[in-house]
Amino acid sequence: EVLNFILNTLVLRDSVVSTESLNLLRQQIDELDNELLEVLNKRMRVSREIGQYKKEHRMPVLQIGRHDEIMQSRAALAEEMGMSGDFMRTVLSAIHEESVRQQIEVLNDRTR
């Protein structure tokens, strides 16, 4: 009876997997990763500009209200797109940490 259940619930797949299509998909992932890195680089450049503004106006690097707003809105948007809100908060936390590091470098740079 159990064997019959198992046999009836098996999903048969083609035994030949096209490595060519897998390679094409992986190539797309590589291209998207490169695009993502480019966007992150642009974001860090803007973060450094924000750091310069904060330095000139004697503002603190951390803006808790802004941070919370971004976390909530981006997590909600990610969920609308079918991603996990927790995943997006993790990604944004890492991005925010690097942004803060970049801004602190600007604040500590005496040549600017």
Side-chain angles (χ1 to χ4, degrees):
E1 188 175 307
V2 172
L3 179 59
N4 191 28
F5 173 78
I6 292 171
L7 291 173
N8 287 328
T9 57
L10 280 178
V11 176
L12 299 178
R13 301 194 193 315
D14 291 336
S15 61
V16 178
V17 175
S18 172
T19 56
E20 185 174 317
S21 63
L22 179 60
N23 287 336
L24 289 174
L25 292 170
R26 286 179 173 164
Q27 183 179 12
Q28 287 179 41
I29 290 290
D30 291 344
E31 290 170 10
L32 290 167
D33 284 349
N34 289 337
E35 288 177 31
L36 185 57
L37 285 169
E38 287 295 325
V39 169
L40 287 170
N41 184 48
K42 289 177 187 177
R43 191 185 194 288
M44 291 307 141
R45 187 169 44 245
V46 172
S47 290
R48 288 188 298 275
E49 290 176 24
I50 289 171
Q52 185 62 38
Y53 180 91
K54 288 177 179 178
K55 180 177 183 176
E56 291 169 2
H57 293 86
R58 300 179 193 268
M59 295 173 66
V61 171
L62 295 175
Q63 307 279 311
I64 300 301
R66 171 78 175 146
H67 175 267
D68 292 345
E69 173 191 326
I70 288 173
M71 288 298 214
Q72 290 175 353
S73 66
R74 302 314 191 274
L77 183 57
E79 288 174 355
E80 288 176 19
M81 295 176 166
M83 290 179 273
S84 161
D86 287 339
F87 163 74
M88 188 50 54
R89 280 184 281 278
T90 299
V91 169
L92 289 173
S93 290
I95 292 170
H96 183 258
E97 184 178 314
E98 179 60 15
S99 293
V100 167
R101 190 190 70 75
Q102 297 269 337
Q103 289 182 33
I104 288 171
E105 277 188 8
V106 170
L107 289 174
N108 291 335
D109 186 355
R110 303 279 184 227
T111 64
R112 292 182 178 217

